Amino acid sequence: GDYVISEFAQRLQRWNVYGAMLARVNGDEFAILLSGSFTPELVSELCQNILTKMRDPIQLFDSQLEVTASIGAVIANSNQPDRQELWHNVNLALYHAKSHGYDQYQIFDPSIFTNVMSKNRIEILLKQSNLEKDYELYYQPQFSLPDRSLVGAEALLRWKASGLDYISPEIFIPVAEEIGYIHRLGRWVIQDAIRQIQQWSQNGQTMFVVSVNISPIQLKENDLVDYIQQQLSAYKVDPSCLEIEITESVLLQLDAQTKHMLEQLRKLGLKIAIDDFGSGHASFGYLSEFSFQKVKLDKILINRTPKMSINEVHVLRTIIDMSKQLGIQTIAEGVETKEQLMVLEYLGCDQVQGFLFGRPVQVHEFNRLFLQS
Ligand code: C2E
Ligand code: CA
Ligand code: CA
């Protein structure tokens, strides 16, 4: 780790022909302060240039490390900028960049962030929030191909921050993770999803699986398995109705503790899905290290349809075929168009989820739209 950080620092110094002020803020975070006049285009170019420099593999002993950076940038447009505000905005831009996967940059743009509050404010609101009253799970349907029958739903967290505008989970989950609030929040999500499965099965809906997103930080909780088991038996829910989604990035640091945790969860009878597959650097090598039941193909893999290059189609086909060989189901996320659906169907993808079929909605809406016979 230390080696990588010093290597990055040196790369930044070599990049710095501009006389920028360079600083290491903490851990693996660096800051760059450039003065002069800048257009967004110019800042974009600088960011891309830095990302390219950072992307070069690092040679360490016998191995090549692939490390990437994420960048948040802000252009100060007055002579006396409010330093604190600049710092908040740059952090928000960074969060935004990170939420789009590895190796990304984001320039702070007030139009995207008008409704977004500072991280500190989110932190305070999170700590004051009431788990029972202020949160709600929305559900997005999942369908099988080629028959298009309902096979599952993903539970997606919504925060009803009272009196305020909508705050995306992409913004508040990273803050909740940072301040440790994710432990309580994540448990509420698990419990509420299990309660909902019970309700659905009482209404005769037993065929579908509900998936919940689990933060990598929750996988470090020693008693997570016990907690899930308790909730399942309290609500008399069959473990096979519950699936957990862990992001691809977990695979990159699959330590013994995490691996043990995943094994226990699987023994309990839960399904485990790899989320956002294809958005970063995880490869099939990681998949074979552990038996997952499902791979969720990231929207980035199908985004370019119908203008997909033949190579992009090959990549998608290979992922789907190899998953089949390994006995892993595939589900494509973010399916928005008929063209995307056609490609996926043609390549033999097992399931689909996306706006084309249905957005995440409240339970009563889900029942009305998808469960009425
Ligand atoms: P994710 O797990 O990748 O969830 C899929 C996201 O894509 C959802 O955003 C969903 O609304 C959106 N989506 C679904 N279909 C489409 C489509 O066709 N097109 C496009 N453009 N987007 C689509 P959402 O609900 O805003 O959630 C964002 C992220 O926040 C999730 O990404 C997940 O990483 C995180 N998240 C949400 N709920 C939870 C939770 O309960 N726990 C944890 N740890 N993370 C959560
Ligand atoms: Ca997910
Ligand atoms: Ca995803």
Side-chain angles (χ1 to χ4, degrees):
D2 287 349
Y3 181 78
V4 170
I5 287 169
S6 70
E7 172 66 25
F8 266 42
Q10 284 168 28
R11 289 183 186 188
L12 274 180
Q13 277 168 335
R14 284 199 295 273
W15 161 85
N16 189 13
V17 292
Y18 310 92
M21 183 195 279
L22 299 181
R24 177 168 161 222
V25 184
N26 61 53
D28 57 356
E29 278 184 26
F30 294 93
I32 302 170
L33 183 68
L34 268 166
S35 47
S37 78
F38 291 92
T39 58
E41 291 72 32
L42 187 55
V43 175
S44 260
E45 219 171 277
L46 289 170
C47 288
Q48 281 168 10
N49 188 254
I50 295 173
L51 289 178
T52 314
K53 293 233 164 8
M54 299 302 162
R55 211 182 288 146
D56 258 357
I58 297 177
Q59 189 70 36
L60 184 63
F61 305 117
D62 293 337
S63 34
Q64 283 221 327
L65 303 178
E66 304 231 3
V67 186
T68 54
S70 307
I71 304 178
V74 58
I75 303 173
N77 51 11
S78 88
N79 293 332
Q80 286 174 308
D82 177 338
R83 269 177 284 174
Q84 219 155 21
E85 193 183 315
L86 274 182
W87 190 243
H88 282 151
N89 293 348
V90 88
N91 270 311
L92 284 173
L94 180 61
Y95 275 131
H96 207 79
K98 281 189 180 171
S99 72
H100 286 109
Y102 305 96
D103 205 21
Q104 305 284 323
Y105 70 92
Q106 172 76 48
I107 301 173
F108 180 81
D109 169 2
S111 72
I112 310 178
F113 292 97
T114 37
N115 293 333
V116 173
M117 293 166 290
S118 75
K119 197 180 120 199
N120 281 358
R121 182 108 183 90
I122 293 177
E123 212 176 298
I124 293 165
L125 283 171
L126 275 176
K127 285 180 182 156
Q128 290 171 345
S129 67
N130 179 322
L131 282 178
E132 298 302 326
K133 281 203 295 222
D134 296 344
Y135 297 92
E136 183 172 358
L137 290 179
Y138 276 42
Y139 290 87
Q140 186 178 29
Q142 302 173 327
F143 296 88
S144 63
L145 290 181
D147 57 323
R148 291 163 211 216
S149 52
L150 181 72
V151 284
E154 177 175 4
L156 291 157
L157 187 58
R158 296 292 177 262
W159 182 18
K160 303 176 277 187
S162 52
L164 296 157
D165 292 314
Y166 169 74
I167 308 173
S168 155
E170 286 180 317
I171 300 286
F172 72 78
I173 299 263
V175 181
E177 287 177 339
E178 196 172 307
I179 64 175
Y181 189 69
I182 193 69
H183 297 293
R184 290 178 58 205
L185 189 55
R187 287 192 177 206
W188 180 83
V189 169
I190 293 166
Q191 188 201 3
D192 204 56
I194 292 176
R195 184 193 57 73
Q196 187 55 50
I197 300 174
Q198 183 204 38
Q199 204 182 28
W200 272 324
S201 69
Q202 280 172 352
N203 297 343
Q205 300 293 341
T206 48
M207 331 72 70
F208 72 83
V209 176
V210 169
S211 61
V212 295
N213 294 282
I214 300 277
S215 153
I217 291 172
Q218 292 176 270
L219 292 176
K220 305 270 183 220
E221 293 171 6
N222 286 327
D223 56 345
L224 180 70
V225 177
D226 289 342
Y227 178 79
I228 295 179
Q229 192 159 27
Q230 273 164 22
Q231 296 303 320
L232 286 169
S233 49
Y235 288 99
K236 299 192 179 60
V237 162
D238 193 303
S240 64
C241 297
L242 184 66
E243 180 173 273
I244 66 166
E245 296 190 6
I246 56 167
T247 62
E248 182 196 64
S249 58
V250 170
L251 299 182
L252 300 174
Q253 319 136 2
L254 201 57
D255 52 47
Q257 192 192 354
T258 310
K259 218 166 165 173
H260 179 67
M261 173 64 76
L262 292 175
E263 251 147 40
Q264 283 184 293
L265 288 169
R266 214 197 39 205
K267 273 200 202 122
L268 198 61
L270 307 187
K271 300 193 173 64
I272 302 177
I274 297 299
D275 206 355
D276 307 334
F277 193 81
S279 64
H281 290 299
S283 70
F284 271 92
Y286 297 100
L287 284 189
S288 56
E289 262 187 51
F290 189 85
S291 62
F292 300 99
Q293 278 75 48
K294 205 174 193 179
V295 165
K296 298 196 82 178
L297 308 173
D298 195 78
K299 30 186 178 286
I300 210 164
L301 293 170
I302 53 160
N303 258 354
R304 287 164 52 85
T305 329
K307 291 206 182 106
M308 252 180 168
S309 71
I310 194 75
N311 280 346
E312 284 166 327
V313 176
H314 283 324
V315 168
L316 202 53
R317 183 201 299 275
T318 307
I319 296 178
I320 292 170
D321 287 351
M322 282 180 79
S323 302
K324 283 212 166 75
Q325 304 266 336
L326 292 168
I328 300 173
Q329 277 190 323
T330 46
I331 177 165
E333 292 194 283
V335 182
E336 292 179 356
T337 67
K338 293 211 176 76
E339 288 82 8
Q340 293 171 338
L341 176 65
M342 266 170 53
V343 172
L344 291 162
E345 206 155 26
Y346 171 72
L347 296 178
C349 184
D350 298 311
Q351 296 175 7
V352 281
Q353 173 182 352
F355 294 169
L356 181 64
F357 292 89
R359 291 177 179 259
V361 288
Q362 288 177 300
V363 171
H364 67 86
E365 199 57 9
F366 189 93
N367 292 342
R368 185 179 71 80
L369 290 169
F370 309 110
L371 295 179
Q372 225 98 82
S373 45

